[in-house]
C-alpha cells in the first residue's frame, strides 16, 4: 500500500534483474553491460539516467546516454568472500511528445577466483507496460 510521500508511480516498472553470462575474475575482471531501448525511444533528456556499482565493481557510477541505448564496462575488484558484484541502473526513456517511462535494472555478476577476464549481459527495455506495472481497480 502506498503511503503519503511515496515516490512510486504507475509509469515505473518493477525491478528487472539480469545475471551475467559467466563469473568474472575477482581481481580486475571486466563486466560489460548493455541496455537497449525500444525502437523510436530515447533517454529522457535531463532525467539523469544512470548506473552505480557496488564496491566489488570498483564503486563506480556514471550516466547512461546514447542513441537507442547504452553500453558500459566496469572493472571488478572484489575481496575474498565477496561472491557477487552488482550494477544498479535507472533508465528514463520516452518518445518525442509522449509520456516518459522509468525502468530499474540490476545486473548481477558472479565473482570468482579464476573467473573469466571478461563477461557481459544485456537488457532490452520493453516499450509497453507489463501487467505488474498496471494498477488494478477491481
Amino acid at each position: 500500500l502506498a503511503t503519503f510521500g511515496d515516490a512510486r508511480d504507475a509509469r515505473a516498472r518493477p525491478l528487472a534483474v539480469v545475471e551475467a553470462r559467466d563469473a568474472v575474475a575477482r581481481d580486475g575482471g571486466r563486466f560489460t553491460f548493455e541496455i537497449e531501448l525500444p525502437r523510436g525511444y530515447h533517454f529522457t533528456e535531463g532525467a539523469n539516467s544512470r548506473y552505480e556499482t557496488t564496491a566489488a565493481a570498483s564503486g563506480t557510477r556514471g550516466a547512461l546516454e546514447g542513441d537507442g541505448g547504452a553500453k558500459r564496462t566496469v572493472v571488478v575488484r572484489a575481496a575474498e568472500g565477496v561472491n557477487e558484484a552488482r550494477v544498479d541502473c535507472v533508465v528514463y526513456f520516452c518518445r518525442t511528445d509522449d509520456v516518459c517511462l522509468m525502468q530499474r535494472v540490476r545486473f548481477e555478476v558472479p565473482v570468482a577466483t579464476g573467473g573469466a577476464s571478461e563477461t557481459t549481459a544485456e537488457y532490452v527495455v520493453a516499450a509497453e507496460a507489463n501487467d505488474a506495472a498496471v494498477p488494478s481497480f477491481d
Side-chain angles (χ1 to χ4, degrees):
L1 184 64
T3 59
F4 180 74
D6 195 336
R8 283 183 255 170
D9 187 310
R11 291 175 301 261
R13 299 153 177 225
L15 174 69
V17 179
V18 181
E19 292 187 22
R21 287 186 169 73
D22 301 301
V24 71
R26 81 173 51 259
D27 187 24
R30 295 168 52 88
F31 171 59
T32 300
F33 64 95
E34 184 172 6
I35 295 175
E36 184 179 326
L37 298 177
R39 170 170 257 139
Y41 284 76
H42 58 272
F43 288 106
T44 305
E45 189 176 332
N48 194 22
S49 292
R50 64 195 179 279
Y51 71 93
E52 186 170 343
T53 67
T54 60
S58 304
T60 58
R61 62 180 65 179
L64 294 172
E65 53 197 11
D67 291 333
K71 186 175 188 176
R72 302 288 184 270
T73 300
V74 296
V75 176
V76 174
R77 298 206 185 282
E80 286 295 326
V82 174
N83 298 319
E84 181 181 78
R86 289 185 185 155
V87 178
D88 288 318
C89 304
V90 179
V91 180
Y92 297 99
F93 64 104
C94 57
R95 290 185 293 199
T96 303
D97 298 327
D98 199 359
V99 67
C100 292
L101 302 168
M102 189 264 293
Q103 174 72 61
R104 292 184 186 277
V105 181
R106 172 174 289 153
F107 292 99
E108 295 180 343
V109 187
V111 174
T113 301
S117 61
E118 294 183 33
T119 192
T120 62
E122 61 272 334
Y123 181 76
V124 178
V125 178
E128 57 281 333
N130 60 37
D131 292 338
V134 178
S136 173
F137 298 103
D138 5 285

